[in-house]
Amino acid sequence: MDGMDATQIKIKEFLSRFFKSHDLQPDEDIFALGFVNSLLAMQLVAFVEKEFGIQVEDADLDLDNFRSIRAISSLVARKTGAPAPA
Amino acid sequence: MKLELTAAQRAARAEFRAFAAAEILPHAGRWDREAALPRTVIDALRERRYLGSNVPVEHGGVGRDMIDYGLLTEEIARGCSSVRSLLTVHDMVAHAVLRWGSPAQRQRWLPALARGEVLAALALSEPNAGSDAKSVETIAVDAGDGWVLDGRKKWTTFGQLAGLFLVLAQCDGQPTAFLVERESPGLAVRPLQGVWGTRASMLAELTFAGCRVPRESLLGRIGFGLSHVVAAALEHGRYSVAWGAVGIGQACLDACRRYTAERRQFGVPLADHQLIRRMLTDMIVDVRAARLLCLRAGWLRDQRDPGAFMETMAAKYFASTMAVRAANDAVQIHGANGVSDDYPVGRYLRDAKVTEIIEGSTQIQQITLPLFDFQEL
Ligand SMILES: Cc1cc2nc3c(=O)[nH]c(=O)nc-3n(C[C@H](O)[C@H](O)[C@H](O)COP(=O)(O)OP(=O)(O)OC[C@H]3O[C@@H](n4cnc5c(N)ncnc54)[C@H](O)[C@@H]3O)c2cc1C
């Protein structure tokens, strides 16, 4: 998990359950990999909310916020007011 | 680990049980035959704040947690699955608005839904789109100052009474959710007759013909109507239906206990025959197992644990198939009386079957569950 911060590592761990035997990279498009159905989408929202203590709202519903590990960690950073990840 | 209800939860269950015994149980058979619920029972639910009961206090609700909500749903369903289905669809819509509504939409709808002033229904299924919900054919076109909807919805539970519909439509080919008021110009609601499960749940068919709705009807964002908005509603619906199926299982057990004690064959009560006892044993254990799955799903939902999705699905799958087994045996135990309107078990079997079809059919759970089995107990 070279170059990933703590947030990104947690996101990777969560997503890796769904993308078994695939070493997900920070910028890899999870939608392009397939297997993002409504159950994964909702679990992902529940995961980031619980793990990072944020509330994902209707205004955040943009695929670009959920497209990759880095995109999700940027969303988390914006919502928590933390500095944006590299 | 403590696997028991708190004193407050037991007290809440006693209240729900007393309500169902007084207001629902004595009438459920008649409502089923008449294929309608009377105003009086809906008023009673409203007065007790049983509609939209999960809506948080800050949005004008009573903020029941998922365990209390489950206990309520079981007791209501033990009396009548059609009343349970009113709670289910109304609360599904409230849940979706709470989860994905804008501040203005929450303010507009949640207090009204929590007080039951407006009844809500889910308009997802269509003549050509059931399990494959992303293929709905209803379309929504951006008309600048609002949206124009065209298409047909079918099987809308309590569509006959609802004042608000959560509608899934294609917007530029992307599934998108809308909150549509009944009075919207271009929306026609027709009662759907001849449905033999949850027969008093007053289904409707909706036709949208150039139906104009305001801009603020869009719920969530374009393209997120199924994956997030309707998915949130369905997740809540699965939870509600799972508890409803436990209620049916318990009702089967109640009926069979009475009947096997009274009815005598070969000189002894039916309950003394070992093969009857075996059916009762399966029913007892099945109902308990389903209830435990529901409690665990509810607990995870209250924790906002991502694993709640899978656990709720497991609970719904087990509870609905359990209810069909229990009701099938309940009819068998009642012999000819089982297929007569004089006894409620025939209704339980019809209603149980519905729980295997709605909110993701048994087959849809069977093909989906293995993909999400990561969670350890
Ligand atoms: C009493 C009642 C109330 C309802 N209330 C509502 C409501 O309020 N709002 C609403 O929108 N809808 C409602 N519905 C509709 C319900 O959601 C649908 O019936 C359900 O989604 C299944 O769709 P279908 O009936 O079109 O069956 P289909 O999707 O056509 O399925 C037919 C059969 O094929 C199986 N099947 C489908 N796809 C697969 C697959 N990929 N692999 C294996 N098997 C498969 C199904 O499990 C089923 O056994 C209600 C239905 C009933 C009976």
Side-chain angles (χ1 to χ4, degrees):
Chain A
M1 309 219 189
D2 291 348
M4 285 202 228
D5 63 22
T7 299
Q8 291 171 338
I9 289 169
K10 282 184 183 154
I11 297 166
K12 174 167 175 162
E13 276 168 9
F14 176 78
L15 287 173
S16 295
R17 301 174 182 181
F18 300 91
F19 300 97
K20 291 197 184 84
S21 65
H22 179 85
D23 185 26
L24 201 59
Q25 297 304 304
D27 291 307
E28 210 166 354
D29 184 334
I30 61 170
F31 301 112
L33 288 172
F35 191 63
V36 180
N37 60 17
S38 60
L39 267 154
L40 170 53
M42 288 298 290
Q43 287 185 70
L44 183 55
V45 169
F47 163 75
V48 295
E49 289 189 336
K50 187 165 164 101
E51 186 68 46
F52 305 111
I54 61 170
Q55 172 85 37
V56 178
E57 282 156 298
D58 65 325
D60 305 315
L61 287 181
D62 182 337
L63 286 188
D64 289 337
N65 282 331
F66 296 96
R67 193 171 291 287
S68 64
I69 293 174
R70 198 183 307 281
I72 300 166
S73 73
S74 299
L75 173 71
V76 171
R78 273 202 308 283
K79 307 273 303 176
T80 54
Chain B
M1 184 170 83
K2 206 169 178 195
L3 267 181
E4 63 182 25
L5 298 181
T6 63
Q9 288 163 341
R10 283 201 303 276
R13 185 176 59 186
E15 177 203 311
F16 306 148
R17 195 168 286 172
F19 171 82
E23 307 280 348
I24 296 180
L25 255 159
H27 314 294
R30 180 166 46 83
W31 297 339
D32 180 62
R33 285 189 294 281
E34 292 172 356
L37 292 187
R39 212 67 233 182
T40 44
V41 70
I42 298 168
D43 288 342
L45 294 169
R46 198 179 276 135
E47 273 161 33
R48 294 286 188 127
R49 307 292 310 260
Y50 288 167
L51 289 164
S53 66
N54 298 127
V55 173
V57 175
E58 63 266 32
H59 292 295
V62 294
R64 283 195 190 285
D65 67 18
M66 287 300 156
I67 301 296
D68 264 17
Y69 179 75
L71 300 174
L72 169 65
T73 309
E74 174 181 344
E75 295 302 330
I76 298 280
R78 195 173 168 186
C80 173
S81 288
S82 292
V83 179
R84 190 275 306 149
S85 70
L86 173 60
L87 260 59
T88 301
V89 294
H90 182 81
D91 296 348
M92 285 168 83
V93 177
H95 191 73
V97 174
L98 176 66
R99 181 62 265 214
W100 294 118
S102 65
Q105 285 168 325
R106 290 184 192 160
Q107 204 177 358
R108 166 81 179 85
W109 293 113
L110 289 179
L113 293 172
R115 285 195 296 268
E117 290 163 3
V118 180
L119 295 180
L122 178 80
L124 171 63
S125 308
E126 301 182 353
N128 295 322
S131 303
D132 184 11
K134 71 174 182 320
S135 302
V136 292
E137 294 168 351
T138 298
I139 54 165
V141 175
D142 189 340
D145 58 339
W147 308 90
V148 177
L149 273 62
D150 279 282
R152 278 173 65 199
K153 295 290 174 181
K154 201 175 173 185
W155 314 110
T156 308
T157 294
F158 285 100
Q160 293 180 35
L161 301 183
L164 182 69
F165 298 96
L166 172 54
V167 178
L168 188 72
Q170 305 284 356
C171 196
D172 277 337
Q174 302 184 78
T176 304
F178 296 88
L179 287 169
V180 178
E181 294 185 59
R182 188 189 190 93
E183 293 74 30
S184 304
L187 167 59
V189 180
R190 267 193 315 129
L192 183 63
Q193 313 288 1
V195 175
W196 59 248
T198 54
R199 195 153 62 182
S201 55
M202 305 179 80
L203 269 56
E205 283 186 89
L206 315 182
T207 307
F208 300 88
C211 173
R212 287 193 80 88
V213 297
R215 277 223 83 68
E216 58 271 22
S217 307
L218 174 68
L219 181 60
R221 290 280 178 275
I222 291 173
F224 289 85
L226 183 60
S227 62
H228 290 72
V229 182
V230 168
L234 287 174
E235 205 260 336
H236 191 70
R238 281 192 288 274
Y239 184 67
S240 177
V241 168
W243 275 105
V246 173
I248 296 175
Q250 185 62 50
C252 291
L253 199 49
D254 299 341
C256 290
R257 281 200 184 286
R258 275 195 306 274
Y259 194 76
T260 58
E262 285 162 11
R263 172 81 178 166
R264 299 173 72 87
Q265 285 298 283
F266 300 98
V268 293
L270 286 182
D272 284 359
H273 294 298
Q274 290 185 336
L275 289 174
I276 298 287
R277 262 194 224 165
R278 186 243 155 109
M279 284 193 267
L280 290 175
T281 298
D282 284 348
M283 220 180 274
I284 290 165
V285 176
D286 258 2
V287 170
R288 285 169 183 237
R291 192 181 285 122
L292 277 173
L293 283 173
C294 286
L295 284 168
R296 180 169 159 77
W299 183 77
L300 287 170
R301 293 188 81 210
D302 277 332
Q303 311 300 311
R304 302 187 177 280
D305 189 301
F309 292 90
M310 145 78 188
E311 215 63 29
T312 300
M313 205 179 238
K316 194 273 181 186
Y317 173 62
F318 184 77
S320 56
T321 49
M322 172 287 284
V324 171
R325 280 195 301 278
N328 197 31
D329 279 353
V331 169
Q332 191 67 20
I333 285 172
H334 281 67
N337 282 327
V339 293
S340 140
D341 273 349
D342 294 340
Y343 287 81
V345 289
R347 167 165 58 89
Y348 299 156
L349 181 56
R350 289 186 276 108
D351 293 348
K353 197 61 207 166
V354 171
T355 68
E356 270 204 276
I357 295 169
I358 56 174
E359 268 56 280
S361 69
T362 289
Q363 288 69 37
I364 295 300
Q365 318 294 340
Q366 284 169 336
I367 60 179
T368 312
L369 255 164
L371 307 176
F372 292 97
D373 181 32
F374 319 119
Q375 182 124 342
E376 283 181 38
L377 257 188

